[in-house]
PDB file of all heavy atoms in Angstrom:
ATOM      1  N   GLN A 463      84.642 -29.064 -36.109  1.00  0.00           N
ATOM      2  CA  GLN A 463      85.659 -28.408 -35.384  1.00  0.00           C
ATOM      3  C   GLN A 463      85.091 -27.082 -34.802  1.00  0.00           C
ATOM      4  O   GLN A 463      85.381 -26.775 -33.620  1.00  0.00           O
ATOM      5  CB  GLN A 463      86.856 -28.166 -36.279  1.00  0.00           C
ATOM      6  CG  GLN A 463      87.524 -29.438 -36.734  1.00  0.00           C
ATOM      7  CD  GLN A 463      88.193 -30.228 -35.584  1.00  0.00           C
ATOM      8  OE1 GLN A 463      88.630 -29.622 -34.612  1.00  0.00           O
ATOM      9  NE2 GLN A 463      88.176 -31.507 -35.707  1.00  0.00           N
ATOM     10  N   LEU A 464      84.301 -26.402 -35.538  1.00  0.00           N
ATOM     11  CA  LEU A 464      83.774 -25.047 -35.058  1.00  0.00           C
ATOM     12  C   LEU A 464      82.877 -25.421 -33.873  1.00  0.00           C
ATOM     13  O   LEU A 464      82.791 -24.604 -32.881  1.00  0.00           O
ATOM     14  CB  LEU A 464      83.008 -24.428 -36.144  1.00  0.00           C
ATOM     15  CG  LEU A 464      83.865 -23.827 -37.342  1.00  0.00           C
ATOM     16  CD1 LEU A 464      82.944 -23.315 -38.424  1.00  0.00           C
ATOM     17  CD2 LEU A 464      84.719 -22.718 -36.702  1.00  0.00           C
ATOM     18  N   ARG A 465      82.161 -26.562 -33.900  1.00  0.00           N
ATOM     19  CA  ARG A 465      81.204 -26.862 -32.763  1.00  0.00           C
ATOM     20  C   ARG A 465      82.052 -27.120 -31.541  1.00  0.00           C
ATOM     21  O   ARG A 465      81.666 -26.792 -30.411  1.00  0.00           O
ATOM     22  CB  ARG A 465      80.425 -28.111 -33.183  1.00  0.00           C
ATOM     23  CG  ARG A 465      79.414 -28.462 -32.118  1.00  0.00           C
ATOM     24  CD  ARG A 465      78.445 -27.445 -31.843  1.00  0.00           C
ATOM     25  NE  ARG A 465      77.421 -27.796 -30.876  1.00  0.00           N
ATOM     26  CZ  ARG A 465      76.640 -26.958 -30.389  1.00  0.00           C
ATOM     27  NH1 ARG A 465      76.640 -25.648 -30.599  1.00  0.00           N
ATOM     28  NH2 ARG A 465      75.765 -27.423 -29.385  1.00  0.00           N
ATOM     29  N   TYR A 466      83.245 -27.842 -31.758  1.00  0.00           N
ATOM     30  CA  TYR A 466      84.156 -28.026 -30.622  1.00  0.00           C
ATOM     31  C   TYR A 466      84.576 -26.726 -29.973  1.00  0.00           C
ATOM     32  O   TYR A 466      84.608 -26.618 -28.738  1.00  0.00           O
ATOM     33  CB  TYR A 466      85.405 -28.803 -31.023  1.00  0.00           C
ATOM     34  CG  TYR A 466      85.147 -30.329 -31.357  1.00  0.00           C
ATOM     35  CD1 TYR A 466      85.970 -31.102 -32.218  1.00  0.00           C
ATOM     36  CD2 TYR A 466      83.990 -31.035 -30.812  1.00  0.00           C
ATOM     37  CE1 TYR A 466      85.743 -32.357 -32.529  1.00  0.00           C
ATOM     38  CE2 TYR A 466      83.725 -32.250 -31.167  1.00  0.00           C
ATOM     39  CZ  TYR A 466      84.577 -32.962 -31.996  1.00  0.00           C
ATOM     40  OH  TYR A 466      84.410 -34.277 -32.288  1.00  0.00           O
ATOM     41  N   LEU A 467      84.962 -25.817 -30.892  1.00  0.00           N
ATOM     42  CA  LEU A 467      85.379 -24.501 -30.300  1.00  0.00           C
ATOM     43  C   LEU A 467      84.298 -23.780 -29.549  1.00  0.00           C
ATOM     44  O   LEU A 467      84.519 -23.204 -28.502  1.00  0.00           O
ATOM     45  CB  LEU A 467      85.964 -23.610 -31.369  1.00  0.00           C
ATOM     46  CG  LEU A 467      87.204 -24.171 -32.059  1.00  0.00           C
ATOM     47  CD1 LEU A 467      87.574 -23.348 -33.249  1.00  0.00           C
ATOM     48  CD2 LEU A 467      88.439 -24.240 -31.075  1.00  0.00           C
ATOM     49  N   GLN A 468      83.033 -23.866 -30.031  1.00  0.00           N
ATOM     50  CA  GLN A 468      81.960 -23.220 -29.381  1.00  0.00           C
ATOM     51  C   GLN A 468      81.660 -23.838 -28.029  1.00  0.00           C
ATOM     52  O   GLN A 468      81.399 -23.171 -27.023  1.00  0.00           O
ATOM     53  CB  GLN A 468      80.703 -23.274 -30.251  1.00  0.00           C
ATOM     54  CG  GLN A 468      80.730 -22.475 -31.462  1.00  0.00           C
ATOM     55  CD  GLN A 468      79.487 -22.565 -32.264  1.00  0.00           C
ATOM     56  OE1 GLN A 468      78.752 -23.505 -32.033  1.00  0.00           O
ATOM     57  NE2 GLN A 468      79.372 -21.788 -33.350  1.00  0.00           N
ATOM     58  N   THR A 469      81.896 -25.130 -27.916  1.00  0.00           N
ATOM     59  CA  THR A 469      81.617 -25.856 -26.765  1.00  0.00           C
ATOM     60  C   THR A 469      82.722 -25.415 -25.687  1.00  0.00           C
ATOM     61  O   THR A 469      82.406 -25.242 -24.437  1.00  0.00           O
ATOM     62  CB  THR A 469      81.658 -27.372 -26.929  1.00  0.00           C
ATOM     63  OG1 THR A 469      80.684 -27.807 -27.887  1.00  0.00           O
ATOM     64  CG2 THR A 469      81.362 -28.173 -25.657  1.00  0.00           C
ATOM     65  N   LEU A 470      84.043 -25.346 -26.093  1.00  0.00           N
ATOM     66  CA  LEU A 470      85.110 -24.909 -25.220  1.00  0.00           C
ATOM     67  C   LEU A 470      84.791 -23.497 -24.725  1.00  0.00           C
ATOM     68  O   LEU A 470      85.085 -23.209 -23.521  1.00  0.00           O
ATOM     69  CB  LEU A 470      86.377 -24.955 -26.003  1.00  0.00           C
ATOM     70  CG  LEU A 470      86.899 -26.353 -26.290  1.00  0.00           C
ATOM     71  CD1 LEU A 470      88.189 -26.277 -27.085  1.00  0.00           C
ATOM     72  CD2 LEU A 470      87.194 -27.149 -24.950  1.00  0.00           C
ATOM     73  N   ASN A 471      84.333 -22.630 -25.583  1.00  0.00           N
ATOM     74  CA  ASN A 471      83.988 -21.239 -25.202  1.00  0.00           C
ATOM     75  C   ASN A 471      82.919 -21.231 -24.159  1.00  0.00           C
ATOM     76  O   ASN A 471      82.955 -20.546 -23.104  1.00  0.00           O
ATOM     77  CB  ASN A 471      83.620 -20.495 -26.375  1.00  0.00           C
ATOM     78  CG  ASN A 471      83.479 -18.929 -26.118  1.00  0.00           C
ATOM     79  OD1 ASN A 471      84.068 -18.439 -25.136  1.00  0.00           O
ATOM     80  ND2 ASN A 471      82.625 -18.342 -26.813  1.00  0.00           N
TER      81      ASN A 471
END
Side-chain angles (χ1 to χ4, degrees):
Q463 296 296 329
L464 291 174
R465 183 62 180 167
Y466 288 159
L467 294 175
Q468 289 178 353
T469 304
L470 291 174
N471 186 29

